[in-house]
């Protein structure tokens, strides 16, 4: 495979041309410089992906994303069983997830580079194949081979890094404006839905079969279906197709130039720091909350502590993911035209609003579990406002040829400083606190409770980053729109509607009575 370049037309009447975005000089982009390095013509017009095929592709991408997050959190659903079988402390158990996330984040920049230059469909298929093989292999590890389980979990990160980096950019090239926001919302709703189902399928399969290994075998079996669907039904749209009527936007900048471009984009940098705080928070809670609740004094009177908390927590995660994702996108579409910086403000409200819910969850768990679940529901609902909105922010503040790199760097930083270390860090703090009073029967619960207090603090930090993002996002978003809209008349194209106009058109169409 070779990166696609521009081709000079030999026809007398030039067709609609392909256009390129480089990083030389000339056009001002907000707080950084971006330019058009070449305007060359193509031999024939590339038609945009048909609406029917685009919607089928979204269904396939959402299905694989569901499995992606199901597999990631089946480990948390069977964590008490794994700790028992391998005789692991909290810190070592947290290391399982940390190793997976580290692999995931280290490989994301590579797939970001490839995703901006090569066939994204082939990249996802290759990654998904590796994911299926290594995830299934994790379930075959014997009790004396804990090291092999850790290695296989690290290899699972290869597949997930390729998919999580590339898939959102394909959605960005299939849809634009308000339609894109809706599709991104649907795609990202499957993060909490998949996470919740991961707890349920992991714990449920282990309980049904009496073997925790079966909890790790469900998603690879379902993943075979996803791989087949992706091969036959998922397109590889031209980069920037949604904004340019199907035309290819080719990049001629180096990877270093792409990184410099992103680092000068204040909205991208600040929102990525907010994503990092969100990843730290959700990673720690997702991994430890079921175990924390199972250790509550009224839940567990004698080790080992077995309860239904993985099922309940999973169901709550699914429900809040659907409600929160839909609510976040609805609020974004409602307020965006009236308040251009509404998106980061919605994210800040979600982060800061979850903080008191987390405090109450941590301290009420020892007294009343039903009340605890009410505040877990509220906290997760507020956090779930962010996922789809954040993905939309990245797509509209970054030019099409750099979106995969932007996704990759955000994934790397978010996981490196976020959920790569948070499960392990919480486990280490818990072990250290537990060592101070190891003979108290319920001290394992209290040590984990005190270690989880780090999460609300991180929530405040993330909320502050999103509030600062709100200062710059209007300028940065408008600059990308102008970059695309100003080019199209020069190339004989009808300018694609801006995000604001597209949103209004969508809303007007919805209000028109059907004939």
């Amino acid at each position: 495979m070779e990166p696609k370049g521009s081709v000079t037309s030999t026809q007398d009447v030039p067709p609609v041309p392909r256009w390129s975005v480089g990083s030389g000089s000339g056009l001002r982009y907000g707080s950084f410089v971006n330019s058009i390095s070449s305007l060359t013509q193509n031999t024939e017009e590339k038609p945009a992906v048909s609406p029917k095929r685009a919607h089928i592709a979204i269904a396939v991408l959402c299905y694989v994303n569901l499995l992606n997050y199901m597999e990631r959190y089946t480990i948390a659903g069977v964590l008490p069983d794994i700790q028992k079988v391998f005789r692991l402390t909290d810190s070592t158990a947290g290391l399982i997830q940390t190793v997976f996330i580290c692999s995931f984040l280290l490989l994301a920049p590579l797939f970001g580079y490839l995703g901006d230059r090569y066939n994204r469909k082939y990249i996802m298929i290759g990654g998904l194949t590796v994911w299926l093989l290594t995830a299934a292999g994790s379930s075959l590890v014997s009790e004396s081979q804990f090291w092999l389980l850790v290695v296989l979990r690290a290899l699972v990160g290869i597949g997930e890094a390729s998919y999580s980096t590339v898939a959102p950019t394909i959605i960005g090239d299939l849809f634009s404006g308000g339609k894109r926001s809706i599709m991104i919302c649907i795609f990202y709703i499957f993060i909490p839905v998949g996470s919740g189902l991961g707890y349920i399928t992991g714990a449920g399969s282990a309980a049904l079969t009496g073997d925790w290994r079966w909890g790790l075998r469900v998603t690879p079996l379902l993943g075979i279906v996803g791989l087949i669907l992706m091969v036959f039904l998922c397109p590889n749209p031209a980069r920037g197709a949604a904004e340019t009527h199907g035309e290819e936007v080719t990049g001629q900048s180096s990877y270093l130039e792409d990184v410099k471009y992103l680092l000068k984009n204040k909205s991208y940098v600040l929102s990525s720091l907010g994503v990092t705080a969100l990843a730290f928070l959700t990673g720690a809670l997702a991994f430890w909350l079921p175990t924390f609740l199972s250790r509550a004094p009224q839940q567990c009177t004698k080790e080992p502590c077995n309860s239904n908390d993985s099922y309940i927590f999973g169901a709550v995660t699914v429900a809040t993911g659907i409600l929160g994702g839909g609510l976040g996108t609805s609020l974004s579409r409602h307020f965006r035209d009236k308040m251009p910086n509404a998106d980061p403000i919605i994210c800040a409200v979600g982060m800061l609003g979850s903080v008191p819910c987390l405090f109450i969850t941590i301290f009420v768990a020892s007294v009343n579990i039903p009340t605890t679940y009410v505040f877990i529901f509220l906290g997760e609902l507020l956090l779930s406002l962010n996922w789809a909105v954040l993905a939309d922010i990245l797509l509209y503040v970054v030019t099409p040829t750099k979106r995969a790199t932007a996704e990759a760097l955000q994934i790397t930083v978010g996981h490196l400083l976020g959920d790569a270390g948070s499960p392990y860090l919480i486990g280490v703090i818990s072990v250290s606190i537990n060592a101070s009073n190891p003979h108290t029967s319920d001290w394992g619960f209290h040590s984990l409770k005190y270690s989880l207090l780090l999460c609300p603090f991180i929530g405040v930090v993330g909320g502050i980053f999103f509030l600062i993002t709100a200062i710059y996002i209007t300028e940065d978003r408008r600059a990308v729109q102008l970059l695309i809209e100003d080019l199209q008349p020069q190339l004989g194209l009808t300018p694609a509607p801006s995000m604001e106009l597209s949103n209004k058109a969508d809303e007007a169409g919805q209000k028109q009575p059907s004939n």
Side-chain angles (χ1 to χ4, degrees), residues 182-368:
I182 294 173
M183 294 304 166
I184 284 291
C185 172
I186 294 172
F187 180 80
Y188 276 88
I189 277 177
F190 285 94
I191 291 180
V193 171
S195 302
L197 290 178
Y199 298 117
I200 295 171
T201 56
S205 300
L208 186 64
T209 62
D211 187 350
W212 64 270
R213 293 172 179 83
W214 278 101
L216 303 183
R217 292 170 183 166
V218 175
T219 49
L221 292 174
L222 296 173
I224 295 173
V225 178
L227 180 61
I228 295 171
L229 292 174
M230 185 172 290
V231 169
F232 292 103
L233 299 178
C234 187
N236 179 48
R239 291 170 181 83
E243 292 97 338
T244 61
H245 305 293
E247 278 303 301
E248 178 87 26
V249 182
T250 58
Q252 298 185 356
S253 57
S254 68
Y255 186 74
L256 181 59
E257 288 173 326
D258 290 352
V259 173
K260 289 180 179 178
Y261 166 99
L262 294 171
L263 291 178
K264 292 178 180 179
N265 185 335
K266 294 183 178 68
S267 296
Y268 172 77
V269 171
L270 289 165
S271 63
S272 295
L273 292 174
V275 169
T276 301
L278 179 63
F280 184 102
L281 183 59
T282 55
L285 294 175
F287 195 78
W288 283 116
L289 265 186
T291 300
F292 170 67
L293 296 172
S294 72
R295 293 181 184 179
Q298 69 269 36
Q299 295 278 85
C300 178
T301 57
K302 183 179 179 180
E303 294 285 350
C305 302
N306 295 315
S307 70
N308 294 320
D309 289 294
S310 287
Y311 304 110
I312 301 172
F313 187 77
V316 168
T317 302
V318 170
T320 55
I322 295 172
L323 294 173
L327 179 60
T329 298
S330 297
L331 291 172
S332 172
R333 286 170 59 80
H334 179 74
F335 288 107
R336 190 181 290 170
D337 292 335
K338 305 172 184 177
M339 189 167 58
N341 60 352
D343 285 351
I345 292 177
I346 291 170
C347 294
V349 169
M351 288 288 283
L352 296 174
S354 70
V355 170
C357 297
L358 294 177
F359 268 116
I360 295 173
T361 294
I362 292 169
F363 285 102
V364 172
S366 60
V367 180
N368 189 296

Side-chain angles (χ1 to χ4, degrees), residues 9 23 26 33 44 65 85 103 109 136 140 288 294 309 313 344-345 352 359 362 379 393 404 431 436 442 504 508:
S9 175
S23 60
V33 176
E44 60 180 271
N65 202 37
V85 169
S103 168
L140 304 176
W288 283 116
S294 72
D309 289 294
F313 187 77
I345 292 177
L352 296 174
F359 268 116
I362 292 169
I393 287 174
V431 169
S436 66
D442 62 348
K504 291 177 180 177

Side-chain angles (χ1 to χ4, degrees), residues 104-127:
F104 179 66
L105 68 90
L106 289 174
L107 291 165
L110 171 63
F111 288 112
Y113 175 87
L114 297 175
D116 278 335
R117 291 161 175 81
Y118 298 96
N119 190 302
R120 291 171 289 182
K121 178 178 177 176
Y122 294 156
I123 293 171
M124 291 193 298
I125 289 172

Side-chain angles (χ1 to χ4, degrees), residues 43-77:
T43 56
E44 60 180 271
E45 180 178 353
K46 275 184 178 286
V49 176
S50 68
K52 180 179 178 180
R53 192 180 179 199
H55 285 88
I56 292 173
I58 284 291
V60 174
L61 293 174
C62 287
Y63 175 72
V64 177
N65 202 37
L66 174 74
L67 298 182
N68 188 353
Y69 281 87
M70 280 180 62
E71 198 284 329
R72 189 178 300 190
Y73 287 103
T74 49
I75 284 283

Side-chain angles (χ1 to χ4, degrees), residues 149-166:
L149 175 64
V150 173
V151 170
L152 288 172
R153 293 304 297 171
L155 293 176
V156 170
I158 296 175
E160 297 205 18
S162 66
Y163 185 79
S164 297
T165 301
V166 171

Side-chain angles (χ1 to χ4, degrees), residues 90 280 284 288 292 362 422 425-431 433 444-456:
D90 285 350
F280 184 102
W288 283 116
F292 170 67
I362 292 169
S422 62
L425 180 59
I426 296 297
V428 167
I429 296 173
S430 175
V431 169
I433 296 174
F445 166 78
H446 290 291
S447 63
L448 194 51
K449 176 177 74 174
Y450 296 135
S451 65
L452 285 171
L453 286 174
L454 180 61
C455 293

